[in-house]
Amino acid sequence: MAARRAADGLALAASPTFALMAISTGAWGTEVGQMLCAGEPAPQIGGMTMMYLLMSVFHLAPWLRLLHATKPEAA
């Protein structure tokens, strides 16, 4: 029982973790020094940011199941 609850918690943790990684990679980039020295005015959305965004979307299933299970029935 405890193992099942731990697995459910890990499943719910994946999507927000990847979303935070996408935000941080998009904001600071994978090579912060190069971005700062180049004087680029806006953050770049590159390969790693897109990968983290896609992984976040792919791991949304547990959240969607949770939302569907707690959805009130229409009268």
Side-chain angles (χ1 to χ4, degrees):
M1 184 67 156
R4 174 72 177 163
R5 288 173 36 161
D8 289 343
L10 285 174
L12 290 172
S15 188
T17 301
F18 285 123
L20 286 173
M21 291 172 76
I23 291 169
S24 66
T25 304
W28 295 292
T30 55
E31 298 179 16
V32 177
Q34 182 180 1
M35 187 172 75
L36 291 175
C37 292
E40 296 177 18
Q44 297 293 312
I45 299 197
M48 290 301 288
T49 304
M50 290 306 295
M51 181 199 70
Y52 288 136
L53 284 173
L54 285 173
M55 289 185 72
S56 179
V57 169
F58 291 148
H59 286 87
L60 276 177
W63 283 101
L64 296 175
R65 279 194 298 269
L66 180 66
L67 289 173
H68 180 71
T70 59
K71 182 180 168 184
E73 294 294 324

